[in-house]
Amino acid sequence: GGSYRPKDCQSRNKVAIILPFRNRSQHLTVFLHYMHPFLQRQQLDYTIFVVEQTGTYGLPFNRGMLLNVGFVEAQRSDTFQCFIFHDVDILPEDDRNIYSCPEIGRPRHMSFVIDIHDYKPVSLMFLFGGGVIAISAVDFVLANGYSNAFSGLGLEDDDFYRRIRRLNMSVARPNIPAEHLRYRTLYHDPSVDVNPNRQQLFDDGYLRFESDGLINLKYRPSDIELKPLYTHVVVDLT
């Protein structure tokens, strides 16, 4: 099921790595074969969950909803103190970029030094929810998770940032040199489904913070399988 626990020491926390996924099999192969050694060198107690959206209903990719599903299904399988939400097409370059749990009340923005931006640190708002973010289970529940409303490409990451800031959480970044925090992206076809209503959904998002997220999450698991390198959660989104 993609789980690992070091033999010679006891990790302080159990970490769930959640990947929202659809139609990126080549990227997933690269990610799994790269990230398992990376995480094991850090002696982490972790499990990788790949949450795949099926095409049964022809719905656009809903990244935020898949992350919510990953959180719920991971907690059903075990008790994880924190979660790292990770896109499948981005890889850390340096072992000193530690994938440990952040403090409660201080979600960690990890992927802000990226090759496609010439390794220049980006602003805190930019790509906060995209790429890689670490957050405690307590904080994710307090924030009510991601919005389920953003089908297709569009602003679910910015909406999540507002949820975090609404709770007066301090968004942290690793306090190590920027060259240790570099990420490399894997090439993919930039053509994606763009939600034409995304700006309106974002503008009205503050009205839905308490009613839209983990609290109203509905989905139909079509398959959950423990594969050698990951726990595969396949879902129909309703």
Side-chain angles (χ1 to χ4, degrees):
S3 295
Y4 175 82
R5 179 179 299 171
K7 297 179 180 179
D8 300 327
C9 66
Q10 183 173 351
S11 295
R12 294 174 179 169
N13 303 111
K14 294 178 69 69
V15 183
I17 315 290
I18 309 294
L19 274 72
F21 178 79
R22 186 166 71 174
N23 300 330
R24 294 282 186 87
S25 58
Q26 290 183 331
H27 287 172
L28 181 60
T29 298
V30 173
F31 181 93
L32 292 169
H33 286 86
Y34 181 87
M35 288 300 296
H36 274 296
F38 173 86
L39 297 168
Q40 289 170 21
R41 287 194 296 270
Q42 296 185 4
Q43 296 187 308
L44 298 178
D45 184 344
Y46 70 90
T47 301
I48 294 178
F49 294 85
V50 175
V51 189
E52 181 174 5
Q53 178 179 340
T54 65
T56 304
Y57 300 105
L59 295 176
F61 186 69
N62 191 324
R63 179 177 176 274
M65 195 170 181
L66 291 177
L67 292 174
N68 288 340
V69 171
F71 176 87
V72 172
E73 292 296 332
Q75 292 294 58
R76 284 177 177 172
S77 70
D78 206 337
T79 300
F80 294 94
Q81 285 77 35
C82 72
F83 290 75
I84 297 180
F85 299 118
H86 210 301
D87 287 346
V88 73
D89 59 356
I90 185 168
L91 300 173
E93 295 186 2
D94 196 304
D95 283 358
R96 289 166 290 191
N97 185 357
I98 305 299
Y99 274 48
S100 60
C101 286
E103 297 177 36
I104 292 176
R106 290 176 58 83
R108 185 187 304 136
H109 182 207
M110 300 178 68
S111 57
F112 62 97
V113 184
I114 312 175
D115 59 341
I116 59 175
H117 301 298
D118 297 323
Y119 295 115
K120 296 177 181 178
V122 297
S123 67
L124 190 60
M125 273 288 292
F126 189 60
L127 287 179
F128 171 75
V132 188
I133 177 176
I135 187 168
S136 71
V138 172
D139 289 344
F140 194 69
V141 171
L142 285 175
N144 194 21
Y146 281 81
S147 168
N148 299 311
F150 291 89
S151 293
L153 178 65
L155 299 182
E156 80 286 339
D157 47 0
D158 302 274
D159 182 85
F160 186 68
Y161 178 82
R162 290 200 308 182
R163 292 177 180 230
I164 293 298
R165 295 301 300 139
R166 167 178 173 265
L167 297 168
N168 294 319
M169 295 184 190
S170 299
V171 178
R173 284 177 165 177
N175 187 25
I176 60 176
E179 57 266 27
H180 301 169
L181 298 170
R182 291 184 172 191
Y183 281 84
R184 181 170 297 276
T185 52
L186 304 175
Y187 174 79
H188 63 276
D189 185 350
S191 61
V192 294
D193 295 321
V194 176
N195 189 334
N197 301 317
R198 61 179 182 169
Q199 189 61 53
Q200 189 64 52
L201 286 168
F202 176 72
D203 292 342
D204 297 339
Y206 71 95
L207 300 172
R208 305 189 308 273
F209 284 160
E210 296 182 0
S211 61
D212 171 25
L214 292 175
I215 196 169
N216 71 330
L217 179 64
K218 295 180 180 179
Y219 63 96
R220 184 185 308 166
S222 60
D223 187 39
I224 299 178
E225 182 180 357
L226 301 181
K227 296 195 172 184
L229 297 180
Y230 61 99
T231 296
H232 193 197
V233 180
V234 183
V235 295
D236 291 334
L237 303 182
T238 58

